[in-house]
Amino acid sequence: MNEGKRTVRPARTMVGAQVSDRVIITPVLIALNVLAYLVTVFQAGSPMNNDRASLFTATSMIPELTAQGEWWRVVTSGFMHFGLIHLALNMAVLYVVGQHVERELGKVRFSAVYFLSLLGGSASAFYFGTVCQQLAGASGAVFGLMGALLILWKRQRRDISTIVVVVGINLVSNLFTNASLLGHLGGFVIGGLLTLAMVRAPQQNRNLYQIGAVVAAVVLLGVMFALRAAQLDTDAEVILEIARTCRPN
């Protein structure tokens, strides 16, 4: 009499991802950001004034140009950085936080949280911000990952005081720098809420619930972009005149 072999199910994290110590997406994202920075440095001939590069100008977030149809900027701006210090700070946080979040969420969910947080930062700055701004940096996505880690550690009943302090310091520092507070907050909120939805999804049909949360986030951000673009289009002449006086050289 042959006994059937028992099927061993792979261990899963709290969101349903397969447990793995391999971290792939985080180093790939860091490499892409560093590569983009090096290209702008080469074009501008300066590691600190790389925002003068043609690639930076063509891909950073400039509201009036975005509203006129250059929508790639809402994503590509997340891979541009104002100088070496800006890049180093964001990549350091991405390296530390990204590894923890990627292991818990898995590659697909982690990628969704990262890029929707990036879009959340862009949407927040675009919708609530002024036209006199040029936005760049992975800060929205990085803050989204910090929001995700806050939810994950809270769910695991771990001490979240360190994350709260780091987020608080970074937000307060926005008041004394040219960093976009709106962009940081937008990424943090989207990353935190999306991760919360993934964590709280019931085990039965969990993937369906999580996909629904992602779709809802995409719709929300799409509506924000569309409404603001319509407003800027309505006031196109005034907006363009203002933009000529405040756009960086």
Side-chain angles (χ1 to χ4, degrees):
M1 182 175 179
N2 295 327
E3 295 184 1
K5 293 183 179 180
R6 180 179 298 177
T7 302
V8 178
R9 295 183 179 180
R12 299 282 175 177
T13 67
M14 69 178 73
V15 300
Q18 186 171 331
V19 173
S20 174
D21 288 330
R22 295 185 62 189
V23 175
I24 297 176
I25 305 301
T26 297
V28 168
L29 289 170
I30 293 174
L32 290 175
N33 276 278
V34 172
L35 177 61
Y37 170 74
L38 292 176
V39 172
T40 60
V41 168
F42 176 79
Q43 290 182 342
S46 170
M48 301 308 294
N49 297 313
N50 61 306
D51 56 308
R52 298 174 181 173
S54 58
L55 177 64
F56 197 103
T57 302
T59 58
S60 59
M61 176 85 150
I62 301 174
E64 76 273 12
L65 296 182
T66 303
Q68 291 174 37
E70 297 184 6
W71 290 106
W72 64 83
R73 294 176 180 271
V74 302
V75 176
T76 57
S77 60
F79 292 88
M80 294 291 111
H81 287 85
F82 291 101
L84 182 58
I85 296 176
H86 188 203
L87 173 74
L89 290 175
N90 275 338
M91 293 306 99
V93 178
L94 175 55
Y95 177 77
V96 174
V97 176
Q99 295 186 66
H100 292 288
V101 178
E102 184 175 344
R103 288 192 181 100
E104 289 294 333
L105 297 185
K107 300 174 184 60
V108 175
R109 294 174 181 83
F110 174 82
S111 298
V113 169
Y114 184 90
F115 281 101
L116 284 174
S117 296
L118 188 159
L119 289 174
S122 296
S124 178
F126 185 65
Y127 187 83
F128 297 106
T130 68
V131 71
C132 288
Q133 57 184 344
Q134 182 181 26
L135 303 174
S139 300
V142 168
F143 262 73
L145 294 184
M146 286 195 282
L149 187 61
L150 183 71
I151 296 298
L152 292 170
W153 279 14
K154 182 67 174 177
R155 187 74 171 183
Q156 295 170 342
R157 297 183 178 180
R158 298 178 60 176
D159 182 14
I160 62 173
S161 59
T162 301
I163 304 175
V164 173
V165 169
V166 171
V167 171
I169 291 174
N170 276 274
L171 291 178
V172 171
S173 69
N174 280 223
L175 303 176
F176 306 97
T177 66
N178 293 324
S180 172
L181 177 61
L182 289 170
H184 290 184
L185 285 174
F188 182 80
V189 170
I190 291 295
L193 290 179
L194 188 54
T195 302
L196 180 62
M198 291 181 177
V199 166
R200 295 182 65 86
Q203 288 191 5
Q204 187 175 5
N205 297 323
R206 177 163 49 193
N207 290 344
L208 186 60
Y209 277 93
Q210 293 173 346
I211 291 172
V214 170
V215 171
V218 171
V219 171
L220 171 63
L221 297 177
V223 168
M224 291 177 66
F225 283 125
L227 290 176
R228 180 60 166 160
Q231 180 185 7
L232 294 182
D233 182 61
T234 301
D235 303 327
E237 293 185 4
V238 176
I239 294 298
L240 289 175
E241 182 60 32
I242 296 174
R244 292 190 190 98
T245 66
C246 62
R247 186 183 301 173
N249 294 323

